[in-house]
Amino acid sequence: MAGEFELIARHFTRPGRRAAAAVALGVGDDCALLTPAPGQQLAVSSDMLVEGRHFLSTVAPERLGHKALAVNLSDLAACGAEPLAFTLALALPRGDDAFAAGLARGLFALADAHGIELVGGDTTAGPLNLCITVIGQVPPGQALLRSGARAGDTLWVSGRLGDARLALEVFRGTVELAGSAFDAVRRAMELPEPRVALGLALRGLATSAIDLSDGLVGDLGHVLARSGVGATVEVDAIPRSAVVAAMPRALQHTCVLAGGDDYELLFTAPPGQDDAVRAAGTRAGVTVTPVGRIEATAGLRLIDADGQPIVFTERAFDHFA
């Protein structure tokens, strides 16, 4: 069993590396020193993952390391911010060297993919808990916010929704899936891909954005409240995998509307910008799909492919529910 400082030195300190351009001083001092590009604003976000609440004890440590950073990078993506660096506060039940090694591999693989460095944090003994703070930069006035949606805007979503929730239902024992189908939805749950490139491509084009962490209905509700508008969502238009589409209709609705853990971007753009939005998705390497429209009348309305109302009463994920 490794001690605290031995664990940090062995797995979370990478000496001899050339730090990212924005990092003037990284791990090893009381504070990190960052130097954003001239004229940029800092974008900062923190997310905590708690065992039993945000992830299962059966998750591989490499996947947990990936997801812990991915969900934070997803917040930067939703703001159209370029990632610069991150910190990690980690509580471990014991100094488990093998677990820490796997966690670090997953964490740093994603960090390297986005060209960012771990610049500090803290470790302690306690129930398994990871809290990451990400720091990014964005030009003044170009951040994507929840408050910019306007009546007439088209509502878009990236990627596909519902796989992560379906995986959770398998773990809960309410659904049976085996083989490649289960592997695919489990991968979506444990290895989400933050849509950073799409967030950057949408700057100056999207009028609002949010990442889908707690379910479309709940997260869209935040946008509507901050923007003072309403929306109609065409539920049948929401993109989903063939595995989700094979489920009973009620379960499909649960997965794509209230599932959470998708970490796709939900965003709005002015009418007439469909080609530009799709081009942004192409540049970012992700499919984007129109799923509804923003309206002046408050409230969220759900309809099917025939325009008929859909009654859906499930709530989005709530940490205290």
Side-chain angles (χ1 to χ4, degrees):
M1 186 171 68
E4 176 187 0
F5 297 107
E6 181 183 0
L7 206 69
I8 295 172
R10 185 178 299 168
H11 301 296
F12 299 104
T13 304
R14 304 199 285 179
R17 290 178 56 85
R18 184 181 66 82
V23 181
L25 179 66
V27 173
D29 224 300
D30 290 310
C31 290
L33 299 177
L34 303 182
T35 307
Q40 297 281 308
Q41 292 180 323
L42 289 179
V44 182
S45 181
S46 294
D47 258 310
M48 183 184 301
L49 296 186
V50 178
E51 185 178 24
R53 193 62 176 170
H54 301 97
F55 62 91
L56 303 174
S57 61
T58 54
V59 67
E62 291 89 347
R63 290 191 169 195
L64 181 57
H66 171 102
K67 185 170 183 177
L69 182 55
V71 302
N72 283 270
L73 289 174
S74 184
D75 285 330
L76 292 185
C79 283
E82 174 193 0
L84 298 178
F86 68 102
T87 65
L88 169 66
L90 174 64
L92 290 169
R94 64 196 68 84
D96 187 332
D97 201 55
F99 181 88
L103 186 75
R105 282 195 298 271
L107 187 78
F108 285 127
L110 186 60
D112 289 345
H114 288 273
I116 60 174
E117 285 292 333
L118 175 65
V119 295
D122 191 25
T123 57
T124 188
L128 185 55
N129 182 327
L130 301 88
C131 183
I132 286 180
T133 297
V134 286
I135 303 100
Q137 65 181 13
V138 61
Q142 291 192 32
L144 306 179
L145 305 176
R146 300 177 181 183
S147 56
R150 298 292 179 263
D153 284 354
T154 302
L155 183 66
W156 297 79
V157 68
S158 67
R160 301 182 306 201
L161 306 188
D163 280 4
R165 176 56 182 267
L166 186 56
L168 180 61
E169 293 303 320
V170 175
F171 281 114
R172 286 174 169 172
T174 65
V175 175
E176 290 187 6
L177 279 179
S180 60
F182 175 58
D183 290 342
V185 297
R186 183 175 186 176
R187 181 179 180 84
M189 177 184 181
E190 296 179 346
L191 291 170
E193 287 298 327
R195 301 303 187 185
V196 173
L198 179 60
L200 296 175
L202 289 173
R203 288 198 312 213
L205 179 58
T207 53
S208 70
I210 191 170
D211 75 320
L212 293 175
S213 57
D214 297 332
L216 185 148
V217 168
D219 289 323
L220 176 56
H222 298 316
V223 172
L224 302 184
R226 292 295 297 272
S227 297
V229 293
T232 293
V233 172
E234 301 169 25
V235 176
D236 293 333
I238 298 173
R240 64 204 74 180
S241 68
V243 180
V244 172
M247 296 294 113
R249 189 169 179 82
L251 179 56
Q252 288 188 49
H253 289 172
T254 294
C255 290
V256 302
L257 293 174
D261 251 8
D262 292 306
Y263 298 101
E264 296 292 349
L265 295 188
L266 180 74
F267 61 95
T268 57
Q273 294 296 315
D274 291 11
D275 289 344
V277 170
R278 290 192 174 92
T282 299
R283 293 196 302 275
V286 59
T287 302
V288 291
T289 305
V291 296
R293 59 188 178 275
I294 300 297
E295 298 165 340
T297 304
L300 175 58
R301 291 157 288 280
L302 305 175
I303 60 174
D304 64 17
D306 296 321
Q308 296 303 306
I310 290 176
V311 177
F312 185 78
T313 59
E314 291 187 50
R315 297 174 59 191
F317 180 78
D318 184 332
H319 290 89
F320 292 97

